[in-house]
Amino acid sequence: MNVTDLTVKNDYCIGCGVCAGVCPSNNLYIDWSPRGELIPHTNNLCNDKCSICLDICPFNNHKINQDAITNSLFSKTRNIKYNEYTGYYLNCYVGFRKDTVKRLKSASGGLATSFLASLIKENIVDRIIAVGISEDNNRMFNFKILNNSNEVYSCAGSAYYPVEISRILKEIIKEKEEFEYAVIALPCVAYALRLAIDKIPKLKKKIKIIASLTCGQLQNRFCTELLSLESGIKVNELAKMNFRQKSENNSAINYMQVATDKNGNEGIPQANQELPSHLWHYQYFKQNACNFCDDIFGEVADVTFMDAWLPEYIDNYRGTSLIISRTPLALKLLENSHEYNLKEISVNSVIESQMGLIQKKRTLLKGKLYKSESSNSFYPEKRVKPDFNVYNENREFIDLTTEIQDLSKELWPKYRLDKSTAEFWNELKPLESKIAKYERKIRIKNLMTKPKKFFKKISGS
Ligand SMILES: Cc1cc2nc3c(=O)[nH]c(=O)nc-3n(C[C@H](O)[C@H](O)[C@H](O)COP(=O)(O)OP(=O)(O)OC[C@H]3O[C@@H](n4cnc5c(N)ncnc54)[C@H](O)[C@@H]3O)c2cc1C
Ligand code: SF4
Ligand code: SF4
């Protein structure tokens, strides 16, 4: 048995590629599924005694969960504090990179790339593993090995696109040189990497620092294709996508998505909040694994970066970041750098910036787990438990958003080569209207008042 018989078969795979990267028989490879998602495929039958892919898969069940990992990594650090949502933390910061040109090229305040570049400049690691434009025609973005700070800066920005790390892991496991690495990864991938580091001494020796990004959800490849067609570039002409172009006419949260065709012509920029549908809110093309994710803040990472989605920063189109630092080294690098404009911020403000995610990943998750448990098939155990009452209270929302996720993935292949997105929307809009109607009905009860009350409860205010 391998991950294809469990995680993939039950649709809990996020396509991280860690399983294929560590498979000792080279038996797994990552490629697209018909649903626009990266998943492992098998070359041959596995050796019966081998279970390493299952041991490191972030959506399998493990005794060593995120809590066990973070206890062993961070709990004994001097002055460390703990919060049930952020996990361990030494300090939290808000700020941005002083160099405005580099800040404008980044997703938010440009602190993630600055921090990674400083790891090379200060000789803390030799190389960085981050996500940038892929050289492979079949993938728009992917993990890459970066050798210097200029290469790190060239990977600024957020790739809302499936990426996988198998080739890189294979390369560093095989390489003879003693290079040391820092990796930036989404919380689920950071967790898989920690599990892999625990199993494979070579990875433990080489991966010295893991940085993470706060993460709400990951859409499949079709979402990028839809954004392209929406901007007037046909899917088979799409070459590049900038998911987070800043515009001085918009707030930071209303960033532009800009597609470029194979001749270098840009499509019509699409403002995030002015698309024909709020794709993220209605959860179009969302990967099912993300419905079963309880890690908001990349708890196993040494340092986590995110958007400052707080009223006092949203209006600044240049972008502002929040940081959670969990190790003395990260703290020292952040506090000593003259490249950032940084100030301390309370952990409660960091939590407040992600209230919607906390509601999804900690409360609604209980209902989703209940639904999976009732179906009697495999589901990944989480740090919150299945709860009938949560499911019952949110049943319509959970069922309708699951339907939109599935239907959008099923229907897009039929419309992707169209000249416009009109027919696709015609099929999906009735379902979206049902969710909107439901939300209107319960807005005050469920989606607005509860997070606020809930925040008052956790912050004690
Ligand atoms: C799928 C996804 C969902 C996210 N959801 C949220 C959210 O809900 N709330 C929130 O506050 N922030 C979220 N973020 C993080 C946010 O988009 C910014 O990445 C973060 O604020 C850091 O901005 P920056 O300007 O400091 O980073 P930059 O200086 O722009 O550097 C970004 C770094 O992230 C790396 N990177 C880009 N895409 C990926 C990827 N897919 N996987 C791994 N590394 C990547 C780049 O290589 C680069 O090193 C998400 C990011 C992604 C990729
Ligand atoms: S989630 Fe990652 S480790 Fe698990 S099966 Fe998918 S690609 Fe492999
Ligand atoms: S929501 Fe969770 S599972 Fe989905 S990509 Fe983000 S960290 Fe991974």
Side-chain angles (χ1 to χ4, degrees):
M1 176 152 154
N2 64 36
V3 280
T4 61
D5 307 306
L6 188 77
T7 327
V8 181
K9 188 171 157 201
N10 292 291
D11 196 18
Y12 294 110
C13 173
I14 194 64
C16 66
V18 179
C19 53
V22 302
C23 172
S25 326
N26 255 335
N27 207 11
L28 296 169
Y29 64 95
I30 306 289
D31 208 347
W32 296 110
S33 75
R35 284 157 61 93
E37 293 167 349
L38 290 172
I39 51 165
H41 303 258
T42 41
N43 285 320
N44 301 301
L45 284 176
C46 288
N47 171 346
D48 275 351
K49 288 192 184 127
C50 180
S51 65
I52 191 151
C53 61
L54 291 160
D55 296 343
I56 59 77
C57 175
F59 289 94
N60 192 6
N61 296 326
H62 305 287
K63 277 197 197 115
I64 308 179
N65 65 7
Q66 286 101 325
D67 287 344
I69 292 174
T70 56
N71 272 334
S72 105
L73 284 174
F74 308 126
S75 67
K76 297 200 174 62
T77 309
R78 202 164 160 253
N79 294 331
I80 198 91
K81 295 164 274 256
Y82 182 82
N83 173 286
E84 69 170 299
Y85 302 109
T86 59
Y88 288 99
Y89 66 100
L90 274 175
N91 220 345
C92 305
Y93 302 92
V94 59
F96 52 86
R97 198 193 155 89
K98 286 183 190 161
D99 178 333
T100 308
V101 175
K102 288 202 171 78
R103 179 181 177 189
L104 289 177
K105 285 195 174 141
S106 289
S108 48
L111 295 180
T113 39
S114 309
F115 177 82
L116 296 172
S118 73
L119 294 173
I120 293 200
K121 286 190 217 158
E122 302 285 330
N123 288 322
I124 292 161
V125 297
D126 304 294
R127 293 164 152 203
I128 303 292
I129 300 168
V131 168
I133 292 173
S134 164
E135 277 96 49
D136 177 346
N137 283 340
N138 202 17
R139 314 256 175 105
M140 191 176 285
F141 294 89
N142 219 347
F143 278 96
K144 297 167 115 169
I145 293 181
L146 311 171
N147 297 293
N148 55 53
S149 48
N150 283 340
E151 288 182 12
V152 175
Y153 296 134
S154 75
C155 288
S158 288
Y160 299 139
Y161 185 90
V163 293
E164 59 93 7
I165 201 167
S166 63
R167 185 185 58 78
I168 308 277
L169 291 183
K170 282 182 192 167
E171 196 173 320
I172 69 175
I173 289 171
K174 245 198 248 153
E175 83 189 352
K176 301 247 174 348
E177 297 89 343
E178 296 303 315
F179 293 132
E180 292 189 336
Y181 294 82
V183 188
I184 185 156
L186 297 177
C188 53
V189 188
Y191 178 35
L193 288 172
R194 288 284 186 211
L195 292 166
I197 284 171
D198 198 45
K199 291 269 160 205
I200 299 173
K202 192 94 182 250
L203 288 182
K204 187 170 192 164
K205 214 168 151 200
K206 295 194 153 234
I207 299 181
K208 290 298 175 191
I209 294 172
I210 297 182
S212 189
L213 301 168
T214 282
C215 181
Q217 57 181 299
L218 180 65
Q219 266 98 351
N220 72 358
R221 192 189 71 197
F222 298 163
C223 188
T224 308
E225 295 182 348
L226 176 112
L227 291 171
S228 173
L229 195 51
E230 206 59 67
S231 80
I233 294 184
K234 286 193 197 145
V235 168
N236 48 12
E237 286 163 12
L238 171 66
K240 273 199 299 192
M241 177 66 75
N242 181 348
F243 292 97
R244 297 272 304 242
Q245 186 158 299
K246 294 168 183 177
S247 157
E248 59 189 18
N249 302 320
N250 289 359
S251 69
I253 206 162
N254 198 17
Y255 49 81
M256 314 293 275
Q257 282 130 4
V258 183
T260 305
D261 73 13
K262 289 175 180 162
N263 296 318
N265 303 312
E266 284 187 359
I268 303 157
Q270 303 292 302
N272 180 39
Q273 295 184 321
E274 291 152 34
L275 288 162
S277 162
H278 200 318
L279 294 172
W280 327 117
H281 178 68
Y282 290 111
Q283 303 175 28
Y284 280 89
F285 306 112
K286 179 180 177 184
Q287 300 213 177
N288 186 47
C290 302
N291 291 318
F292 295 86
C293 174
D294 63 7
D295 187 348
I296 301 133
F297 293 104
E299 292 167 53
V300 301
D302 299 291
V303 56
T304 301
F305 299 88
M306 70 206 87
D307 289 288
W309 294 148
L310 291 166
E312 55 274 47
Y313 303 109
I314 278 183
D315 284 342
N316 188 340
Y317 82 95
R318 294 178 190 87
T320 312
S321 309
L322 300 177
I323 309 180
I324 299 172
S325 93
R326 301 190 176 87
T327 63
L329 174 70
L331 197 82
K332 193 171 132 203
L333 281 172
L334 291 166
E335 294 199 339
N336 290 349
S337 172
H338 301 295
E339 291 188 351
Y340 321 132
N341 189 326
L342 217 59
K343 65 177 188 194
E344 284 184 27
I345 191 169
S346 72
V347 75
N348 280 339
S349 298
V350 174
I351 292 167
E352 190 188 348
S353 78
Q354 305 294 333
M355 283 311 291
L357 293 193
I358 291 176
Q359 174 79 351
K360 265 194 219 148
K361 291 196 179 195
R362 295 292 168 94
T363 306
L364 279 181
L365 173 57
K366 295 179 189 167
K368 290 178 183 172
L369 288 168
Y370 176 82
K371 187 176 173 181
S372 301
E373 189 184 54
S374 319
S375 73
N376 280 332
S377 54
F378 164 83
Y379 68 94
E381 283 167 13
K382 296 284 122 183
R383 291 170 293 170
V384 296
K385 299 290 160 230
D387 187 325
F388 167 74
N389 291 328
V390 177
Y391 178 56
N392 207 24
E393 219 177 291
N394 300 283
R395 181 192 297 246
E396 219 173 324
F397 185 75
I398 292 174
D399 290 351
L400 287 171
T401 47
T402 309
E403 214 180 313
I404 246 181
Q405 285 159 36
D406 286 340
L407 204 59
S408 55
K409 292 179 211 171
E410 194 185 308
L411 290 178
W412 181 250
K414 192 166 133 197
Y415 296 113
R416 67 191 284 274
L417 296 179
D418 280 10
K419 286 191 188 126
S420 87
T421 54
E423 291 297 316
F424 175 76
W425 289 126
N426 278 348
E427 288 227 38
L428 266 300
K429 280 286 174 187
L431 193 50
E432 186 178 311
S433 304
K434 275 193 197 168
I435 303 181
K437 196 170 155 200
Y438 166 78
E439 282 186 327
R440 271 197 299 278
K441 204 171 74 193
I442 58 132
R443 179 165 288 133
I444 293 172
K445 185 166 160 249
N446 262 349
L447 297 174
M448 297 294 280
T449 46
K450 271 197 178 166
K452 282 187 187 155
K453 269 191 197 159
F454 174 64
F455 180 63
K456 276 191 186 155
K457 195 177 107 200
I458 56 171
S459 64
S461 58

